[in-house]
Amino acid sequence: MKVPIVIFAILIGGLSIALLNISPNKAEQPQEEVQVKVDYPKHINKFIGKYCTDCHDEDIQKGGVDLSSFSLENMTQIDEDLWAKVYHQVESGTMPPKKKKKQPTTELRHEFTNNLSEHLNSNIRTKHEMIGRTVIRRLTREEYENTLKDLFEIEDLEIKEFLPPDQKSHGFDNIAHSQNLSHVQIARYLEAADFILDRAMNPQPKPEYKEWDIEAVKAHRFNIGNDAIKKDGKIYMLRQPNSAQTPWYISDFKVHYSGEYKLKMWTYGTEVKSTGKGKETKLSDEKKTDKHHVLMFYANPSKNVLRKQGNVNVPPNKYEAPVSIHLNLIRGEKPLFQIATMSDRAYGTAIAVEKLQMTGPHISSWPPASHKLLFGDLQSVQWDNKMKVREPLQRYQNFTGIKSIKRQSSQWMVVSDNPEQDAEELLYKFMQKAIRRPVERSEVAPYLELVKNRLKENYCFQDSMKTGYKAILCSPDFLYFQENFGNLSDDALASRLSYFLWKSMPDKQLTELARNGKLKNDAILKSQVNRMLADKKSKRFIHSFIDQWLELENINLTIPDSKLFPEFDDWLQDCIARETYEFFTTMVKENLSPTHLVDSDFLVVNQRLAQLYELDKIDGDKLRKVKIPKDHIRGGLLTQASILKITANGTTTSPVIRGAWVTEKIIGKHIPPPPPNAGSVEPDTRGATTIRELLDKHRNNSSCIGCHQLIDPPGFALESFNPMGAYRERYRNLDKGDKVKKRILGKDAKYKLKLDVDSTGETVNGTKFTTINEFRELLLKDKKGLAKNVTEKLLTFATGSQVHFTDAETIEEITKDADVVGIKDIIHGIVQSKIFRRK
Amino acid sequence: MSQTFWIRPKSINRRTMLKGLGVAMALPHLEAMAVAKTPEVPKRMVAICTDQGIVPGYFFPKAKQKWTETRYLKHLSDHHADMTMLSGVSLPDVTGGHHADVVFLTGAAHPSRPGFKNSVSLDQVAAEHVGIKTRFQSLPILIGRENKRSLSFTRSGVMIPPEKKASNLFKKLFIQGDKKQVQAQMAKLQEGRSILDVVRVKSKNLADHVGKADKEKLEQYEHAVREAEKRLQTMQAWESKTKPTVKAKVPQDFLKPGYLIDRSRVMYDMTKLALETDSTRLVTIMIEGDFNPKVIIEGHDINEGWHQLTHHGWRKEKLSQLGAIEDAQFGVLNDFLNDLKSVKEDDQTLLDRTSVLYGTNMGCANRHSNDNLPYLVIGGGYKHKGHLKFDEKNNYPLSNLYLTELHRLGVNVNSFSSSTGTMKGLEFS
């Protein structure tokens, strides 16, 4: 490999120009080249010694920082991060602190930051040239699952639960440096491969397609009289059964083959009155209604586990056509549904159901693609005990991630007339697809050997092949990214791109472009990014990125206290995360400016969210873009219910937690943890003191105020929102205050209103604000900062590496037109950048 | 000279070691002793973390109150002589509220910070030494919802997935497959080994073509494969041995989150059976409250989720419900201790040879603090002296207890995690 020589022109003190050779291998360096080497460490240490070590030395270690223990030579990642911090602190003028008498002149400060930046850049670049900016990366369990889904074309494959969760680092779970591996995963990879191969193999005849006409009155075991009434051959569902019975099963239907089914429902919403009790209940005639209802569908693989399938709208008054929903059901599962728009107490409205029809499994071709990938066009027969080979091994029959092997009476198996030849061909083809780079024929050998050994031991062809495939799926070739040094090969680039925007392996088009050497072309790369973002697989990127960046993965961690926040229901729980995903999807699709994270002129809402946000009535479950009324308090991420919920604990809110969230996630400043024994503030839920008063006592302490001045202001601005994301002017509590006369979801409100909310605050540089809208304006002033932050987060996620000091130039370049740059531009900028295209 | 390991001056607290072996021993004989001619006394450990905290006011004594008289300790009155209450202890540099559950037995610093990497857990260090003697090197158990969390972590910081179903645990421990099943299982283990053989060679080839840093990662893979192979081999060996038989029947699983107490009870039952039959000597139990549904406590109307209740804000009706849950938790713990004591082994009870570490990752769940952890050390042959009080402002490192525990289990190490020495005031009898 030829060693690149990087030459930097450096201005030192405005006088001398130094040429510096950076070379990973000094021995190869041409001797005659002239070098004027600047001793950066000496300059840097001189400054540090003069202005910093008064506080940051071994003895005092102010802020936990001891500069004497960090090296400028052979820097580790920890050293690099520390020096990067020093650079930013000195460059921004935060350090040395203003109160210190000894201050460097502006010139000295400049000289120092220049020296430090040159030293860091050259050292880190050299290191990256030698070992890469990132180390070899392993598929995360999410990527592993998606890769297998796409490899075998099985959409509802749920396999990540087989593997232990991946370590998160710098906010994301794909950071190569922090990835661990131990025997635990290896054992699990073996198990998971078994599971997936059993699902993929389908030697048996095509399962029969069936239609089940289900009479509405027989469809589920309603508690007739209380929950539902039969009348004129219809079922009138009057209320949501209580939570213990939720959701309802659809019976008279059984899934024998895991796959796609379709449910049609002839149904509409209406208004009826019921009189009497139990079986004596009578219904009044139907009345017109303007209420749109929503049903939420699930499947349950085992007790207490629900897999969400989707929501459907029920039209008011009559139906034009049946509503239908596609269900991905796994063998043995039953579909269930829940009425999102009704509570278990409130009567008055009803959903009439005339009949239901279930059809399936819907199979486009047989054998399925997964089987063809493994066995081509080879025939299958039924085993019997007269055959020479062993009986085929039992396969997983219950594909729910829960191990259960049921015995089948007569096993089907794939047969081959030329087993060894077929094995070689099949393995080769499989590797070509699974391994994400061109494969040499010779690479098949060790796997073929495995298969041959199994054949010798008299295992049937199918089971022998399975051993070979299992080995491939556990091999480092499959589990790791294969990235070469320097500019990534086309194949490596295709993989990096694909795991960025799809969280999975490249598809046929990407692979072909890579194999033809075309992907490196800027224009083609750009058009591929556009194609990939338009593909539905990009949903995986949005979800994974948002889940991790904004911590939306914690959305179900708490449930708002039912007495304090009785409005919170299952439907709202279901909608709030969707809003944020959909909002960010819109930002990407329409290439909107990162400022939309803070403020947008639109919201993406449905009926339930519009109700929570006090907007005009919208019907149905589908999320759609609506314009925000003038002076409305919502807009951007910060006022989305999802964010307001994950930054609360279900009962109370804390400006510190919310403030820290905004500071870290949106502004992009890392907050050091509180010093030991800092203590923390316990919210007073009895309503006597506001959190602000409690906090004041704590933060006015001199050792706390420094950080809290920075952290708390966004949290104060967000005090106007309660733990489920609704607007508030007074705090709710259950002890003292004014009673509220309101019926919520059929129950009397139990909470009381007492203290007033105060959403005013002052930023660290002394600017005052009184509402969230005013605070937003302040955040919007730093467009560049907002753009840089989201770029850093995306870059981390895209490359599987933390942001390095040397990345600053690229980030600056991508965001240089902060006024016009959009999220899509940023994604393009990252993909086109050298950082992304080199290891 | 492999024995030098045993007499290296700093490698173990020699005094403790000598005490454990009999003080009369003269130094030169130590080497011989280390090879252990005396019949081995099995040492066991059960570490339990209940992750929603323990209300400190009901656990720790108030001024002038005896430690045995607090609301929660009263539930354990039969065992006061066999236990030590720790106060003023925590894991140094462990922050992050709920996130600290994953470091309860590892002590790795700042679990919620960027770049966090977990380290090896106490039980897994012990497993490397005592694990090989039993069918299961260790048994991580979860009383909770998903297979996402356990207390046990490998050397490379990877979580060892827990068992969450009592019935599965029972099957693993005691149900002997028929001949055909055993053969099938053996064949599967053999297949696994041959596969691992191939992929290990693959990774070696790959490692020859990459840079230094990548090579290290691939070596980690290779090492992991080798470890997995070893385990398959051990499993094969155990597979050919008959499993112990017990009178108990396959237990009910109680998977509904409301059944926290019933679930705890069956898991404690399984733990006792596993220890009694010497199927394992190391059990970790994570009791997870990461679910919102309400816990069912007989005679109490619990109308809010467990986690919600921990954010009681000192509201009476919330605290009384939370107290009822934790009362019941200590109730089943007491039953468990009774069970361990009821089993005789030689002239000792199972509890004498099993240390039960019971605690939580949060000192006060109401405000998510990770200091002043409520903690009990029970049984295990320690000289229990009641309440060991440390500084509430400047906590004593809990990792020192873990080092002491390792020494008790016969693991000869100088330090564990953030330990600064062995536990002050806690000695072996």
Side-chain angles (χ1 to χ4, degrees):
Chain A
M1 193 179 76
K2 197 167 180 311
V3 178
I5 296 171
V6 187
I7 300 170
F8 291 105
I10 300 147
L11 261 166
I12 306 246
L15 284 171
S16 61
I17 292 173
L19 278 176
L20 181 73
N21 286 305
I22 312 280
S23 151
N25 190 338
K26 288 202 169 102
E28 284 177 27
Q29 220 166 270
Q31 290 296 313
E32 55 272 48
E33 220 167 297
V34 184
Q35 280 190 60
V36 183
K37 211 174 172 189
V38 179
D39 191 350
Y40 289 118
K42 200 178 131 198
H43 289 283
I44 294 165
N45 281 328
K46 203 173 143 197
F47 182 93
I48 297 281
K50 197 159 177 196
Y51 298 105
C52 312
T53 43
D54 278 1
C55 302
H56 299 293
D57 69 346
E58 217 176 330
D59 299 328
I60 302 178
Q61 296 193 25
K62 191 135 194 213
V65 178
D66 165 19
L67 288 171
S68 64
S69 71
F70 289 93
S71 169
L72 280 160
E73 313 282 354
N74 298 322
M75 287 183 284
T76 64
Q77 193 57 55
I78 295 167
D79 294 327
E80 280 176 32
D81 293 346
L82 187 272
W83 289 119
K85 211 164 155 191
V86 170
Y87 174 87
H88 292 300
Q89 296 278 326
V90 177
E91 201 247 346
S92 66
T94 320
M95 287 285 158
K98 300 235 158 59
K99 59 184 176 195
K100 285 270 167 195
K101 267 194 208 139
K102 211 163 48 176
Q103 290 286 341
T105 61
T106 320
E107 225 166 34
L108 260 178
R109 201 183 275 274
H110 261 302
E111 187 188 304
F112 171 74
T113 49
N114 276 341
N115 282 342
L116 184 56
S117 133
E118 290 304 340
H119 181 73
L120 286 177
N121 274 327
S122 71
N123 272 273
I124 297 171
R125 284 205 177 105
T126 310
K127 192 167 123 191
H128 289 177
E129 279 311 317
M130 287 204 287
I131 62 167
R133 180 175 169 272
T134 172
V135 292
I136 190 168
R137 201 164 128 200
R138 178 172 55 76
L139 301 184
T140 64
R141 61 179 197 156
E142 184 194 355
E143 290 163 346
Y144 175 83
E145 178 177 285
N146 288 333
T147 305
L148 289 168
K149 270 184 190 171
D150 295 348
L151 179 64
F152 289 111
E153 298 176 43
I154 303 175
E155 254 185 58
D156 60 345
L157 187 70
E158 289 184 16
I159 201 159
K160 62 170 188 263
E161 289 302 317
F162 271 85
L163 302 170
D166 296 291
Q167 180 75 61
K168 273 181 98 176
S169 172
H170 300 276
F172 296 97
D173 68 357
N174 63 344
I175 307 305
H177 258 289
S178 302
Q179 284 182 331
N180 298 325
L181 188 82
S182 82
H183 60 88
V184 174
Q185 274 122 332
I186 300 291
R188 295 288 166 136
Y189 284 134
L190 278 173
E191 195 69 32
D194 235 356
F195 174 85
I196 165 74
L197 287 166
D198 280 354
R199 172 92 192 258
M201 297 186 333
N202 279 284
Q204 74 279 19
K206 184 177 178 176
E208 200 188 337
Y209 169 83
K210 273 192 188 167
E211 285 183 11
W212 292 265
D213 283 315
I214 304 166
E215 243 184 289
V217 289
K218 282 190 189 158
H220 15 70
R221 264 181 285 149
F222 289 119
N223 183 357
I224 295 293
N226 278 331
D227 307 335
I229 302 283
K230 281 189 262 186
K231 194 185 168 192
D232 308 332
K234 291 178 219 167
I235 278 278
Y236 287 83
M237 298 190 287
L238 300 176
R239 62 164 198 161
Q240 176 59 38
N242 70 39
S243 55
Q245 292 162 331
T246 306
W248 281 327
Y249 281 101
I250 296 175
S251 42
D252 272 12
F253 167 74
K254 228 173 185 177
V255 177
H256 287 286
Y257 177 81
S258 307
E260 192 189 314
Y261 292 77
K262 198 172 167 187
L263 176 73
K264 283 185 187 171
M265 230 173 156
W266 283 260
T267 180
Y268 59 89
T270 182
E271 229 157 287
V272 285
K273 273 211 174 102
S274 59
T275 46
K277 262 194 170 173
K279 287 190 176 142
E280 309 299 313
T281 316
K282 291 262 179 332
L283 279 189
S284 68
D285 286 337
E286 291 182 18
K287 263 205 216 146
K288 259 196 170 286
T289 179
D290 62 349
K291 193 166 168 139
H292 288 245
H293 286 283
V294 171
L295 303 176
M296 303 203 285
F297 281 84
Y298 308 90
N300 72 330
S302 69
K303 263 189 199 168
N304 310 316
V305 182
L306 289 177
R307 298 196 302 124
K308 184 78 198 294
Q309 298 277 335
N311 297 354
V312 297
N313 294 316
V314 177
N317 303 320
K318 62 173 189 181
Y319 56 80
E320 305 288 331
V323 298
S324 69
I325 179 167
H326 287 268
L327 303 166
N328 265 314
L329 298 175
I330 288 164
R331 196 186 150 96
E333 274 189 331
K334 273 183 184 166
L336 307 92
F337 73 95
Q338 171 178 5
I339 310 171
T341 36
M342 286 186 192
S343 81
D344 57 351
R345 309 265 170 152
Y347 289 92
T349 61
I351 293 175
V353 186
E354 281 194 11
K355 63 168 183 170
L356 300 102
Q357 188 193 50
M358 185 75 81
T359 57
H362 295 268
I363 297 167
S364 51
S365 68
W366 193 266
S370 58
H371 185 82
K372 282 194 192 143
L373 175 65
L374 296 172
F375 296 108
D377 293 324
L378 291 176
Q379 297 297 306
S380 298
V381 298
Q382 244 172 324
W383 182 85
D384 69 58
N385 53 14
K386 284 176 220 98
M387 291 181 171
K388 270 189 263 165
V389 293
R390 296 192 201 198
E391 186 181 358
L393 296 170
Q394 295 295 324
R395 289 161 49 208
Y396 272 99
Q397 293 296 318
N398 188 349
F399 298 103
T400 52
I402 296 154
K403 190 170 177 173
S404 131
I405 297 184
K406 267 191 203 149
R407 211 178 159 72
Q408 280 188 324
S409 51
S410 50
Q411 293 266 37
W412 285 83
M413 61 176 194
V414 177
V415 285
S416 157
D417 295 334
N418 301 304
E420 293 193 5
Q421 253 171 292
D422 282 342
E424 186 176 357
E425 199 52 38
L426 289 169
L427 286 169
Y428 180 59
K429 277 193 180 147
F430 181 77
M431 282 176 79
Q432 292 275 21
K433 204 170 168 199
I435 279 173
R436 316 182 293 269
R437 61 165 168 81
V439 175
E440 310 263 337
R441 264 209 181 255
S442 62
E443 291 183 69
V444 174
Y447 304 111
L448 183 61
E449 204 50 38
L450 270 177
V451 176
K452 281 185 186 166
N453 285 339
R454 295 288 273 185
L455 285 168
K456 260 183 230 148
E457 288 169 38
N458 220 18
Y459 284 97
C460 68
F461 182 73
Q462 153 181 310
D463 288 335
S464 304
M465 284 303 291
K466 201 177 136 188
T467 305
Y469 290 136
K470 231 167 122 174
I472 295 170
L473 293 180
C474 296
S475 74
D477 276 331
F478 179 76
L479 297 172
Y480 285 87
F481 283 56
Q482 297 185 38
E483 298 183 336
N484 52 296
F485 282 105
N487 291 328
L488 292 181
S489 71
D490 280 85
D491 281 291
L493 183 62
S495 271
R496 202 180 249 204
L497 185 59
S498 185
Y499 281 95
F500 174 27
L501 297 179
W502 284 345
K503 298 300 282 171
S504 180
M505 62 191 283
D507 68 349
K508 212 172 153 198
Q509 200 183 98
L510 264 180
T511 309
E512 272 169 16
L513 284 170
R515 302 279 152 96
N516 297 332
K518 285 182 182 159
L519 194 60
K520 280 194 194 115
N521 176 297
D522 293 357
I524 290 178
L525 198 53
K526 191 163 184 186
S527 74
Q528 283 302 306
V529 168
N530 285 332
R531 176 180 77 93
M532 293 173 77
L533 286 174
D535 190 288
K536 66 172 194 243
K537 279 192 274 183
S538 64
K539 203 173 155 184
R540 296 170 180 165
F541 149 61
I542 304 270
H543 281 227
S544 183
F545 181 63
I546 293 292
D547 274 352
Q548 300 189 58
W549 171 32
L550 305 177
E551 289 178 10
L552 228 62
E553 58 202 347
N554 294 336
I555 193 74
N556 292 328
L557 218 58
T558 61
I559 290 188
D561 186 296
S562 59
K563 280 188 190 143
L564 282 168
F565 310 104
E567 301 96 329
F568 192 83
D569 59 14
D570 291 348
W571 191 19
L572 187 57
Q573 174 89 349
D574 179 71
C575 298
I576 55 181
R578 283 163 56 204
E579 179 195 3
T580 304
Y581 299 137
E582 206 60 41
F583 181 80
F584 193 70
T585 307
T586 310
M587 282 185 66
V588 175
K589 210 193 245 148
E590 301 182 9
N591 192 23
L592 300 176
S593 154
T595 54
H596 287 73
L597 298 170
V598 174
D599 194 14
S600 57
D601 57 357
F602 68 91
L603 295 172
V604 185
V605 292
N606 66 2
Q607 183 176 328
R608 184 70 188 87
L609 289 164
Q611 195 188 343
L612 180 77
Y613 295 162
E614 301 172 58
L615 298 166
D616 291 342
K617 186 170 173 283
I618 295 177
D619 294 320
D621 179 67
K622 195 176 159 32
L623 292 161
R624 70 214 81 169
K625 219 174 133 181
V626 300
K627 248 191 123 42
I628 301 177
K630 206 171 171 284
D631 295 330
H632 196 276
I633 200 152
R634 307 279 166 169
L637 278 179
L638 308 188
T639 49
Q640 290 181 12
S642 59
I643 306 303
L644 295 163
K645 180 170 181 284
I646 56 170
T647 55
N649 67 18
T651 310
T652 55
T653 60
S654 156
V656 183
I657 307 237
R658 282 184 171 168
W661 189 94
V662 175
T663 312
E664 293 214 340
K665 311 287 170 190
I666 305 299
I667 301 173
K669 281 210 175 91
H670 179 64
I671 296 164
N677 311 321
S680 48
V681 176
E682 296 178 47
D684 169 33
T685 46
R686 283 169 290 201
T689 2
T690 64
I691 182 76
R692 180 188 295 262
E693 289 159 356
L694 289 167
L695 196 58
D696 276 345
K697 284 183 208 154
H698 170 86
R699 66 195 292 253
N700 289 344
N701 180 330
S702 69
S703 69
C704 305
I705 191 74
C707 284
H708 279 277
Q709 268 180 337
L710 185 75
I711 303 169
D712 302 346
F716 285 137
L718 292 174
E719 272 302 277
S720 303
F721 302 93
N722 70 20
M724 64 167 180
Y727 177 70
R728 65 180 171 196
E729 281 169 354
R730 294 173 78 187
Y731 290 100
R732 294 179 183 184
N733 78 85
L734 294 175
D735 294 315
K736 292 171 196 146
D738 305 328
K739 282 189 182 165
V740 177
K741 276 198 181 161
K742 227 186 199 178
R743 279 184 71 79
I744 298 166
L745 298 175
K747 282 189 219 170
D748 286 326
K750 291 204 178 82
Y751 62 84
K752 292 164 194 157
L753 291 173
K754 189 149 192 281
L755 301 168
D756 289 333
V757 169
D758 175 1
S759 62
T760 62
E762 189 179 328
T763 65
V764 70
N765 28 5
T767 320
K768 292 198 164 99
F769 59 87
T770 54
T771 61
I772 176 71
N773 281 349
E774 283 181 29
F775 181 73
R776 256 200 209 103
E777 293 304 318
L778 297 176
L779 280 183
L780 282 177
K781 281 188 181 154
D782 187 13
K783 282 186 184 164
K784 185 80 161 239
L786 292 169
K788 274 190 170 177
N789 171 55
V790 71
T791 307
E792 283 179 9
K793 301 290 195 285
L794 279 165
L795 187 64
T796 307
F797 182 80
T799 58
S801 163
Q802 70 168 100
V803 170
H804 295 266
F805 188 79
T806 43
D807 298 340
E809 277 172 37
T810 305
I811 293 165
E812 179 62 38
E813 177 64 27
I814 293 172
T815 57
K816 69 170 183 276
D817 300 322
D819 283 334
V820 290
V821 73
I823 293 282
K824 210 179 195 170
D825 297 330
I826 291 176
I827 293 172
H828 279 303
I830 286 171
V831 173
Q832 297 284 341
S833 76
K834 228 172 147 185
I835 298 176
F836 188 82
R837 293 161 84 158
R838 288 173 77 81
K839 183 171 157 51
Chain B
M1 276 278 289
S2 62
Q3 283 93 337
T4 50
F5 177 61
W6 288 91
I7 51 166
R8 215 166 49 200
K10 273 180 82 184
S11 64
I12 189 172
N13 183 335
R14 277 166 89 214
R15 200 186 306 154
T16 322
M17 178 88 183
L18 283 170
K19 270 187 187 166
L21 296 169
V23 194
M25 198 63 52
L27 253 178
H29 290 112
L30 195 60
E31 285 180 40
M33 264 320 284
V35 197
K37 290 224 171 77
T38 44
E40 187 217 13
V41 175
K43 298 270 174 65
R44 309 178 173 98
M45 178 189 80
V46 181
I48 306 164
C49 169
T50 178
D51 83 341
Q52 297 297 300
I54 295 170
V55 178
Y58 297 161
F59 180 85
F60 293 121
K62 292 179 187 67
K64 287 184 189 163
Q65 194 183 23
K66 275 192 192 154
W67 71 278
T68 50
E69 284 170 357
T70 69
R71 169 166 167 171
Y72 289 158
L73 265 291
K74 276 185 189 164
H75 293 290
L76 308 173
S77 56
D78 294 341
H79 306 286
H80 286 159
D82 289 324
M83 66 173 67
T84 300
M85 172 192 273
L86 307 180
S87 67
V89 297
S90 56
L91 291 161
D93 295 324
V94 167
T95 52
H98 284 289
H99 296 281
D101 53 358
V102 295
V103 301
F104 183 74
L105 291 182
T106 73
H110 302 303
S112 60
R113 271 203 204 170
F116 168 71
K117 212 168 171 176
N118 212 341
S119 54
V120 64
S121 57
L122 166 62
D123 59 307
Q124 291 309 303
V125 175
E128 289 163 8
H129 298 260
V130 300
I132 34 166
K133 295 169 184 168
T134 53
R135 185 179 292 264
F136 298 96
Q137 301 206 350
S138 66
L139 274 186
I141 292 176
L142 170 73
I143 299 174
R145 190 177 52 176
E146 284 174 87
N147 274 358
K148 270 195 184 157
R149 299 193 302 164
S150 86
L151 297 175
S152 301
F153 289 81
T154 66
R155 284 239 173 239
S156 45
V158 174
M159 187 198 83
I160 302 184
E163 184 54 66
K164 62 166 187 172
K165 276 185 170 182
S167 60
N168 278 355
L169 207 49
F170 188 87
K171 279 178 210 154
K172 268 205 234 170
L173 289 164
F174 308 119
I175 306 275
Q176 190 76 35
D178 59 29
K179 209 177 159 196
K180 219 175 149 187
Q181 280 170 324
V182 171
Q183 272 172 359
Q185 181 61 17
M186 288 290 257
K188 203 178 161 186
L189 294 169
Q190 193 55 46
E191 185 207 21
R193 287 181 66 189
S194 59
I195 288 174
L196 294 185
D197 224 30
V198 169
V199 297
R200 186 164 45 76
V201 175
K202 259 275 54 141
S203 77
K204 262 199 158 147
N205 297 342
L206 203 61
D208 288 342
H209 296 98
V210 298
K212 193 177 139 237
D214 288 1
K215 204 175 188 144
E216 275 167 26
K217 284 272 166 192
L218 284 171
E219 274 164 7
Q220 195 189 42
Y221 171 90
E222 203 195 312
H223 179 76
V225 169
R226 216 185 285 276
E227 283 295 308
E229 264 186 289
K230 261 195 233 160
R231 277 168 172 77
L232 289 182
Q233 200 178 351
T234 323
M235 278 162 84
Q236 271 184 321
W238 280 106
E239 197 63 43
S240 57
K241 285 183 193 161
T242 325
K243 288 181 181 175
T245 46
V246 287
K247 276 185 201 150
K249 284 197 188 121
V250 182
Q252 207 183 322
D253 285 330
F254 297 108
L255 286 185
K256 281 205 175 167
Y259 295 126
L260 167 75
I261 301 304
D262 293 289
R263 177 94 167 270
S264 304
R265 180 174 288 116
V266 291
M267 283 306 196
Y268 286 152
D269 288 348
M270 287 305 105
T271 303
K272 176 217 152 200
L273 287 175
L275 298 175
E276 188 181 3
T277 53
D278 210 22
S279 301
T280 188
R281 292 180 188 177
L282 302 161
V283 182
T284 66
I285 305 178
M286 163 88 94
I287 304 173
E288 177 195 58
D290 181 17
F291 39 65
N292 296 293
K294 296 139 199 167
V295 176
I296 299 160
I297 303 290
E298 233 174 275
H300 290 268
D301 179 24
I302 309 289
N303 57 26
E304 271 188 88
W306 190 7
H307 178 234
Q308 259 77 273
L309 289 174
T310 65
H311 292 289
H312 43 68
W314 310 108
R315 256 152 66 192
K316 248 194 212 143
E317 92 275 9
K318 286 211 181 198
L319 262 174
S320 84
Q321 293 186 27
L322 183 60
I325 295 174
E326 292 180 4
D327 276 333
Q329 281 192 289
F330 280 100
V332 281
L333 176 66
N334 187 57
D335 296 344
F336 175 51
L337 298 177
N338 282 337
D339 280 352
L340 290 181
K341 218 176 206 170
S342 72
V343 179
K344 289 269 176 313
E345 208 177 56
D346 305 325
D347 56 344
Q348 286 184 303
T349 72
L350 202 50
L351 185 60
D352 294 331
R353 296 174 171 185
T354 307
S355 61
V356 179
L357 312 180
Y358 189 89
T360 173
N361 49 309
M362 287 184 294
C364 179
N366 186 42
R367 54 191 171 94
H368 287 162
S369 63
N370 298 109
D371 52 357
N372 292 314
L373 304 177
Y375 210 101
L376 292 173
V377 184
I378 311 157
Y382 284 113
K383 269 189 196 161
H384 290 288
K385 282 183 185 155
H387 183 181
L388 277 183
K389 249 174 139 170
F390 296 96
D391 190 347
E392 278 175 35
K393 288 246 163 70
N394 231 328
N395 277 186
Y396 184 79
L398 188 59
S399 28
N400 287 6
L401 170 71
Y402 294 169
L403 182 64
T404 300
E405 179 63 17
L406 282 172
H407 289 177
R408 189 191 70 86
L409 290 164
V411 183
N412 183 7
V413 286
N414 291 327
S415 65
F416 173 76
S417 184
S418 52
S419 71
T420 56
T422 50
M423 186 84 193
K424 222 191 271 171
L426 192 65
E427 284 167 13
F428 312 138
S429 51

